[in-house]
Amino acid sequence: MAMATTRAEDLIVCYSPKMVTAKGIWKGDNPLDYSIPLVILQMTIVVATTRIMVFVLKPLRQPRVVSEILGGVILGPSVLGRVQGFASTIFPSRSVMVLETMANVGLVYFLFLVGVEMDLTVIRKTGKRALAVAIGGMILPFVVGICFTIVLHDRKPKSLNTATYILLLGVTLSVTAFPVLARILFELKLINSEIGKLAMSSALLNVMCAWILLAFAIATADNDAKSFASLWVLLASVGFVVVCIVFVRPAITWMVGTASEGELLSEFTICVILTGAMISGFITHAIGTHAVFGAFVFGLVIPNGALGVVLLEKLEDFVSGFLLPLFFAISGLKANFASIDSARTWGVLAFITFLSCAGKIAGTMLVTMFLRMPYNDGFILGVLMNAKGLVELIVLNFGKDRKVLDDESFSVMVIVAVVMTAIISPIVATMYKPTRSSVSYERRTLQRALHDGELRLLVCIHTHRNVPAIINLLEASNPTAKSPLCIYVLHLVELTGHASGMLIVHNARKSKHVPTAKNRTQAQSDNIINAFESFEQHSSFVSIHPLTAISPYNSIHEDICSVAEDKRVALVIIPFHKQKTADGGMEGTNPAFGSVNQNLLAKAPCSVGILVDRGLSGSARVAANEVSRQVCVLFFGGPDDREALAYGWRMCENPGISLTVLRFVPGANATLSTMLPTDDPDNPNMLTVEATNSWEKGLDDEYINDFRSKNDDDESIVYTENVVNSSEETVAAIRKLDNYHDLLIVGRGHGVMSPLTTGLTDWSECPELGAIGDILAESNFSSTVSVLVIQQYIGSSQHELTGSPHSTSQSDDELIHRRTWSPKKTDYI
């Protein structure tokens, strides 16, 4: 190994300044002998190889950093480099410097973007738990790194300070890769879970500590005890940070503030900021630290808001998808696994990997035990904190360049980083079973919501066209001093093409300070938030809390559920995926919206309402704080219809709301026999359905009677019953409804078997609306009447049929129908 290392150190590479561009193959030039065509080919091969590895490892849920490092390993001396002529032709020594320079430029800009994405205010809000996890997860792995330095003591260069050697290896084993962890949590759909939030906060603190230790290690790399260079490096680094905070950040804020309201950032501003990132890297490199340190600090001082969003949109795809893989590939190219030529070294490799993972897990579990977290959560959190990535490779490359690590040590540490990261997703996906953090969260339905307590609603918005109808629905929901409305407004934005899980955002913010520079998404969010905050200002007993969820549409329902459960809301309201056209018809907007609604109905931790807007957005105010609406509840029976009536009941307490309750009652000829596989009266399926329906009918009758007895004297409430014997008569009765009403509220009828709706679901175009809701949403039903379809939360078996009379899953209904309060309009005026 020493001879190989010595030969590598003594290798002299000659560069010809004239061999940059080729004259062409027709003049006898080989393009691979010239710098530009060779670098273009190398970049193409690197990106293609890493993309192939990403595709191959995707079923194993491996983060992209693993695929990119392995892509470099395949192209390096460990695999293809052994093929005769490949390395000398495609990756000759004279070309590595150019490729590595481009890779480091990409690295500088990536760390700049990481700094832009980070919000330093999060550090102040992380609390003691995250700080304890971060420290606990660093100490034991750092001790392992110290032990590793003892094992490799004989290979440590005599010219290197021992403290520097310990710091480099300790940081490599103890740090947690913040961007890699974010991506893992995002792919495992844990980004908004309690353990995900704690892991992200702890990793953020961990990375900050690692940067400080790395800067200190680089600064103390000089072994000359008589030299004060290390002290000057440290002081200069601190001075650079102070200058960025005191002078650079205000200057950038002023530059952005000079733009007119709504004006996009100019190309000059973007150019100045991008140039500032490179200048910052140059300064920190010149004073003795790494160039990425300067770019990272410069990114941290970029003001939060639209400026950061614009920078991410302009740079992230190119930097993360094209330039950054070059850096990981270079690390793989430098790793030569053939240099690990002894069983002892492989034993040390396995030992170090095991101790590093175990130390991280043990340190984290000790802290979580002290915090009284479940053992399983502590173990999973420790596994997540083992994520390795960019910082580790920066340390390793620095160590190899400074001759801290030889080929063998470098290769060993690359393998350790890859293995520790690769095992995370499979282990977490297999073992993690999220614990229910909201045991006391009981008011998951409108029926169960207290009449004299705060009602929490979560409204989801796709575009600004959804806003007016949602606001008018909330306005009609009767906020009062005894029962105010707490409304969480969640703007749903599709995440496409980005690699960083940090783009999943749930930030509440007020719009008193509106950013002047907006991209399209940011401008739309601002308009939506401004509309709801205006509604808050002009309404009484209403509080608005705006949030934004950015996620792929195939998983965004999980973000909605997470927010709903975290905020403990009783009802989620989401728009229908079709909108009214100018001629009164209904046209689809985005087919993915329909899938979001279906997924939400299946997974929601509370009741869900789907709003079909056909003109509810129109104004119907009669006074400053009053509305005039005609609301009709169609009642067929079952928990969903009881939930619909509960919402209508709350609405009718508003002086401007007139409520009609139309109950459909099965006639003497109505039967369920056609719905069952046999007409045998002893069929157990028929007995179960009849028993269930009898029990549900008892709950329906009791709830209806309670409603009628408490509203007998209210002239604005009309109750009628319509006797029908079949689904055909039901459809005919529904189509007779005129356009007098502004809003129809109906239960989805999920899990209810009724002769009044037999066979209707077979022809449903939109099953998420249920049989009746689908009819009401048809284009030929009405052009002016809006529809709200409600599904009541009935417990963990929501996706199954309604339980039997003896089922414990219906405890909510058994409690709900006993409510004894008597609402009066005079109490809420």
Side-chain angles (χ1 to χ4, degrees):
M1 177 61 65
M3 292 181 63
T5 305
T6 303
R7 289 175 183 174
E9 293 173 357
D10 295 339
L11 181 65
I12 299 177
V13 180
C14 299
Y15 298 89
S16 174
K18 295 183 180 180
M19 298 187 69
V20 178
T21 57
K23 297 178 181 179
I25 58 175
W26 308 115
K27 293 188 177 181
D29 283 350
N30 182 359
L32 299 183
D33 292 336
Y34 295 84
S35 299
I36 292 180
L38 180 59
V39 169
I40 292 175
L41 178 63
Q42 290 172 338
M43 295 173 66
T44 303
I45 292 176
V46 167
V47 173
T49 304
T50 56
R51 290 291 96 187
I52 292 173
M53 292 302 299
V54 169
F55 176 78
V56 171
L57 297 179
K58 187 175 181 180
L60 301 178
R61 296 185 174 183
Q62 292 302 314
R64 202 169 70 178
V65 60
V66 173
S67 303
E68 290 169 345
I69 295 176
L70 291 180
V73 170
I74 291 174
L75 296 175
S78 301
V79 184
L80 292 180
R82 292 177 170 271
V83 178
Q84 186 176 5
F86 179 82
S88 60
T89 303
I90 305 301
F91 292 99
S93 300
R94 59 182 172 81
S95 69
V96 173
M97 185 181 72
V98 179
L99 188 63
E100 191 167 359
T101 300
M102 295 194 64
N104 278 277
V105 171
L107 180 64
V108 167
Y109 274 116
F110 181 79
L111 266 297
F112 166 69
L113 293 180
V114 170
V116 170
E117 283 187 293
M118 284 188 179
D119 187 357
L120 290 179
T121 59
V122 175
I123 298 179
R124 297 195 297 266
K125 300 176 183 178
T126 51
K128 296 180 180 179
R129 290 207 312 168
L131 180 61
V133 171
I135 296 175
M138 287 191 72
I139 294 177
L140 286 182
F142 203 92
V143 173
V144 173
I146 295 175
C147 298
F148 190 28
T149 60
I150 298 175
V151 175
L152 300 178
H153 182 269
D154 294 337
R155 297 172 184 171
K156 180 181 74 66
K158 296 180 180 179
S159 60
L160 187 70
N161 192 310
T162 302
T164 303
Y165 194 56
I166 292 175
L167 284 173
L168 289 178
L169 296 181
V171 168
T172 302
L173 296 179
S174 62
V175 72
T176 299
F178 182 75
V180 176
L181 177 62
R183 185 62 183 178
I184 291 174
L185 291 172
F186 170 72
E187 293 179 346
L188 294 175
K189 299 178 175 61
L190 297 176
I191 195 74
N192 290 311
S193 65
E194 288 299 321
I195 195 170
K197 294 175 182 177
L198 180 58
M200 290 294 289
S201 300
S202 302
L204 179 59
L205 294 170
N206 185 294
V207 168
M208 300 302 292
C209 294
W211 276 114
I212 295 173
L213 292 175
L214 178 58
F216 186 79
I218 295 174
T220 58
D222 187 2
N223 197 40
D224 187 358
K226 297 180 180 180
S227 174
F228 291 96
S230 299
L231 177 61
W232 289 117
V233 170
L234 290 174
L235 293 177
S237 300
V238 173
F240 172 79
V241 173
V242 172
V243 169
C244 286
I245 295 175
V246 176
F247 297 103
V248 177
R249 182 181 176 88
I252 296 176
T253 304
W254 173 83
M255 185 183 302
V256 174
T258 56
S260 302
E261 175 107 9
E263 181 183 347
L264 296 176
L265 283 173
S266 65
E267 292 184 5
F268 174 77
T269 302
I270 298 296
C271 181
V272 168
I273 293 175
L274 296 182
T275 304
M278 297 302 293
I279 293 175
S280 299
F282 171 79
I283 292 174
T284 53
H285 192 84
I287 63 179
T289 55
H290 205 289
V292 297
F293 177 74
F296 178 72
V297 173
F298 185 76
L300 285 176
V301 301
I302 297 294
N304 296 328
L307 175 58
V309 176
V310 172
L311 290 172
L312 290 171
E313 284 195 342
K314 288 182 176 293
L315 292 179
E316 186 172 29
D317 289 333
F318 179 69
V319 172
S320 300
F322 190 72
L323 292 181
L324 191 62
L326 297 179
F327 175 76
F328 290 114
I330 285 293
S331 300
L333 285 169
K334 291 181 179 180
N336 185 5
F337 295 164
S339 62
I340 308 176
D341 54 1
S342 66
R344 176 182 177 274
T345 304
W346 284 107
V348 170
L349 169 62
F351 184 65
I352 293 298
T353 304
F354 172 77
L355 283 185
S356 301
C357 294
K360 199 78 157 177
I361 295 172
T364 304
M365 288 191 68
L366 287 175
V367 174
T368 55
M369 289 173 60
F370 178 76
L371 297 174
R372 298 182 179 179
M373 292 176 59
Y375 293 114
N376 183 62
D377 287 4
F379 177 79
I380 295 300
L381 185 60
V383 173
L384 289 171
M385 297 300 286
N386 272 301
K388 303 296 178 185
L390 200 60
V391 177
E392 296 77 14
L393 292 180
I394 292 174
V395 174
L396 293 178
N397 280 277
F398 172 80
K400 195 171 190 309
D401 293 340
R402 295 292 182 94
K403 302 177 183 178
V404 176
L405 303 173
D406 58 11
D407 288 345
E408 186 180 50
S409 301
F410 180 83
S411 301
V412 166
M413 296 306 297
V414 169
I415 294 176
V416 170
V418 171
V419 171
M420 291 177 68
T421 306
I423 64 175
I424 294 176
S425 293
I427 291 178
V428 175
T430 303
M431 297 187 60
Y432 180 60
K433 305 297 180 185
T435 55
R436 307 297 294 181
S437 60
S438 52
V439 177
S440 61
Y441 176 26
E442 297 177 352
R443 300 184 182 93
R444 299 171 183 261
T445 67
L446 293 173
Q447 278 187 270
R448 199 155 202 171
L450 296 178
H451 77 286
D452 57 352
E454 181 183 60
L455 177 62
R456 297 189 177 191
L457 304 177
L458 172 63
V459 297
C460 302
I461 305 294
H462 290 295
T463 68
H464 65 278
R465 291 186 60 180
N466 306 139
V467 173
I470 295 288
I471 287 180
N472 284 335
L473 179 65
L474 296 173
E475 199 170 29
S477 300
N478 192 39
T480 66
K482 291 185 177 180
S483 182
L485 289 181
C486 178
I487 303 168
Y488 297 93
V489 181
L490 187 63
H491 182 205
L492 307 179
V493 180
E494 183 180 17
L495 173 66
T496 56
H498 295 287
S500 173
M502 285 306 294
L503 293 178
I504 303 297
V505 182
H506 291 283
N507 288 331
R509 63 181 182 85
K510 297 294 181 181
S511 61
K512 295 179 180 179
H513 174 68
V514 182
T516 56
K518 302 182 180 75
N519 66 335
R520 185 176 60 86
T521 300
Q522 183 68 39
Q524 190 177 66
S525 293
D526 287 340
N527 291 334
I528 292 171
I529 292 171
N530 289 338
F532 277 95
E533 290 182 346
S534 176
F535 165 59
E536 178 184 24
Q537 293 171 4
H538 293 87
S539 302
S540 301
F541 317 116
V542 174
S543 60
I544 299 293
H545 306 276
L547 304 97
T548 300
I550 306 178
S551 184
Y553 280 143
N554 60 3
S555 63
I556 202 168
H557 65 280
E558 298 183 359
D559 298 306
I560 300 174
C561 294
S562 176
V563 174
E565 191 157 18
D566 183 54
K567 305 303 181 183
R568 306 191 176 199
V569 303
L571 176 67
V572 175
I573 301 174
I574 193 167
F576 187 46
H577 68 276
K578 294 183 179 180
Q579 293 180 338
K580 181 181 177 181
T581 59
D583 59 359
M586 299 293 291
E587 66 175 1
T589 51
N590 188 334
F593 294 172
S595 299
V596 172
N597 292 353
Q598 293 184 39
N599 292 332
L600 178 61
L601 289 169
K603 302 293 185 181
C606 60
S607 296
V608 178
I610 300 178
L611 179 61
V612 183
D613 177 28
R614 284 204 189 94
L616 192 64
S617 55
S619 175
R621 288 180 179 270
V622 296
N625 291 311
E626 296 180 3
V627 293
S628 178
R629 300 285 182 193
Q630 303 295 329
V631 179
C632 178
V633 175
L634 304 184
F635 192 95
F636 290 84
D640 293 348
D641 282 20
R642 293 195 293 273
E643 188 78 351
L645 180 57
Y647 198 17
W649 193 343
R650 181 183 177 91
M651 283 185 174
C652 75
E653 297 154 11
N654 188 312
I657 298 295
S658 297
L659 177 66
T660 299
V661 178
L662 179 57
R663 185 180 187 185
F664 289 80
V665 181
N669 297 326
T671 177
L672 275 171
S673 60
T674 57
M675 301 176 62
L676 300 172
T678 176
D679 293 337
D680 183 3
D682 295 328
N683 181 12
N685 291 331
M686 178 176 288
L687 295 176
T688 301
V689 171
E690 289 180 351
T692 300
N693 285 352
S694 176
W695 178 55
E696 287 289 349
K697 186 177 184 302
L699 294 176
D700 294 339
D701 291 341
E702 189 166 359
Y703 194 63
I704 285 286
N705 293 336
D706 189 28
F707 169 77
R708 295 183 64 184
S709 65
K710 292 181 172 65
N711 295 280
D712 260 348
D713 299 333
D714 195 331
E715 297 181 355
S716 65
I717 298 178
V718 177
Y719 174 82
T720 59
E721 292 186 354
N722 194 342
V723 180
V724 291
N725 293 289
S726 65
S727 57
E728 291 80 5
E729 293 183 14
T730 300
V731 174
I734 290 176
R735 294 195 182 279
K736 290 180 181 179
L737 293 174
D738 51 31
N739 294 333
Y740 172 74
H741 301 100
D742 300 300
L743 177 66
L744 296 177
I745 306 178
V746 62
R748 186 182 175 222
H750 183 60
V752 174
M753 303 181 73
S754 170
L756 307 185
T757 58
T758 304
L760 294 182
T761 55
D762 297 339
W763 306 97
S764 293
E765 182 181 354
C766 304
E768 68 270 23
L769 297 181
I772 304 302
D774 185 72
I775 295 174
L776 298 175
E778 289 179 355
S779 299
N780 57 359
F781 171 73
S782 172
S783 60
T784 59
V785 181
S786 299
V787 181
L788 179 65
V789 180
I790 294 181
Q791 173 181 282
Q792 185 183 65
Y793 175 80
I794 58 174
S796 59
S797 59
Q798 183 164 317
H799 61 284
E800 301 172 355
L801 294 179
T802 303
S804 67
H806 304 290
S807 172
T808 58
S809 65
Q810 300 302 314
S811 58
D812 282 6
D813 291 326
E814 294 173 350
L815 292 173
I816 291 165
H817 79 274
R818 298 194 185 100
R819 82 182 201 178
T820 57
W821 61 278
S822 177
K824 300 181 183 296
K825 290 195 175 186
T826 54
D827 294 337
Y828 299 95
I829 298 178

